[in-house]
Amino acid sequence: ETGVTQTPRHLVMGMTNKKSLKCEQHLGHNAMYWYKQSAKKPLELMFVYSLEERVENNSVPSRFSPECPNSSHLFLHLHTLQPEDSALYLCASSQVLGAPGNTIYFGEGSWLTVV
Amino acid sequence: DQQVKQNSPSLSVQEGRISILNCDYTNSMFDYFLWYKKYPAEGPTFLISISSIKDKNEDGRFTVFLNKSAKHLSLHIVPSQPGDSAVYFCAASVGTGNQFYFGTGTSLTVIP
């Protein structure tokens, strides 16, 4: 138990579907992140939120839409995805942003398959 | 452009021996380095970290060494145990930044 919970753990969706990934952190952290892990590639940062405000959007296609209603919850809304979007999506949190010694803690990930 | 590189995709070590996992980086502004361990079907778990003001940090069987001049860090596991078999990622950040940069991981197998 890392203190960061992701649901669902596995998701299969068609290219015309709309679905959402949910993340909740119980660590009292102020920053939350979405990362994507594809096979044989490094973890790719998608979005960063600090105190519910988006501070980073790494050229992610608009078919991925994040939402951070409060500092404990983060969503990733998915719409008209492509098969190449199939990957492990990892949520993470850290106490703050931009501070020395900042450490991020990951959830267990949501495996997404787009068919 | 990948700023953090793990050039060995896999490593096999006998139980009880030392495992050495290596990581190189290109950005001299990085001032904080982390190692994560990942089992299949789980998210990465934070293992150990080191600030750029140090060259060594030890936590039980795990020691991280940092060589700033070579832009190189390594993780030593002594003695290695079968439960250490996992994928290990190194990561780096600039203290004032919003990003952590990850390597592609090294898959460690500890043979009983």
Side-chain angles (χ1 to χ4, degrees):
Chain A
E1 176 61 49
T2 64
V4 181
T5 305
Q6 290 186 241
T7 54
R9 295 292 313 279
H10 298 271
L11 177 63
V12 179
M13 60 185 288
M15 289 191 282
T16 57
N17 289 161
K18 284 186 185 181
K19 297 283 184 186
S20 296
L21 305 180
K22 179 183 174 184
C23 177
E24 183 175 0
Q25 57 96 0
H26 311 275
L27 301 168
H29 288 170
N30 290 325
M32 295 188 78
Y33 311 73
W34 279 116
Y35 277 87
K36 175 184 177 182
Q37 186 182 23
S38 305
K40 306 260 197 291
K41 286 188 175 182
L43 287 166
E44 300 171 55
L45 179 67
M46 298 176 74
F47 301 104
V48 182
Y49 277 82
S50 177
L51 295 170
E52 302 135 53
E53 184 177 332
R54 191 191 310 180
V55 297
E56 198 86 39
N57 176 354
N58 269 12
S59 304
V60 179
S62 59
R63 56 185 185 268
F64 295 92
S65 173
E67 178 191 359
C68 188
N70 55 63
S71 59
S72 299
H73 292 85
L74 185 64
F75 294 89
L76 187 62
H77 303 300
L78 314 168
H79 182 222
T80 59
L81 295 192
Q82 305 297 310
E84 58 265 28
D85 296 322
S86 299
L88 177 66
Y89 289 85
L90 290 159
C91 175
S93 71
S94 67
Q95 192 156 20
V96 292
L97 270 187
N102 196 24
T103 300
I104 59 170
Y105 297 89
F106 287 91
E108 297 201 341
S110 294
W111 285 97
L112 173 67
T113 303
V114 182
V115 297
Chain B
D1 180 33
Q2 205 171 323
Q3 300 188 51
V4 177
K5 297 178 185 176
Q6 292 176 259
N7 292 318
S8 298
S10 63
L11 174 68
S12 290
V13 170
Q14 207 70 33
E15 180 179 3
R17 306 293 288 267
I18 183 171
S19 295
I20 300 176
L21 298 109
N22 294 303
C23 181
D24 297 295
Y25 60 95
T26 58
N27 189 343
S28 57
M29 297 296 292
F30 288 147
D31 57 9
Y32 189 57
F33 304 88
L34 311 93
W35 283 95
Y36 287 82
K37 174 180 178 180
K38 184 180 182 303
Y39 292 118
E42 294 184 12
T45 302
F46 170 69
L47 197 56
I48 191 170
S49 62
I50 187 167
S51 162
S52 61
I53 61 172
K54 294 186 171 183
D55 53 22
K56 176 183 173 182
N57 188 26
E58 191 173 347
D59 183 2
R61 295 186 297 114
F62 302 90
T63 303
V64 56
F65 294 92
L66 176 63
N67 182 334
K68 288 186 289 292
S69 61
K71 295 193 180 71
H72 177 84
L73 66 154
S74 60
L75 175 68
H76 292 211
I77 307 173
V78 175
S80 300
Q81 300 173 353
D84 296 329
S85 297
V87 177
Y88 289 79
F89 293 94
C90 67
S93 68
V94 177
T96 54
N98 297 333
Q99 285 213 41
F100 292 82
Y101 297 85
F102 286 83
T104 49
T106 297
S107 177
L108 173 66
T109 302
V110 180
I111 303 162

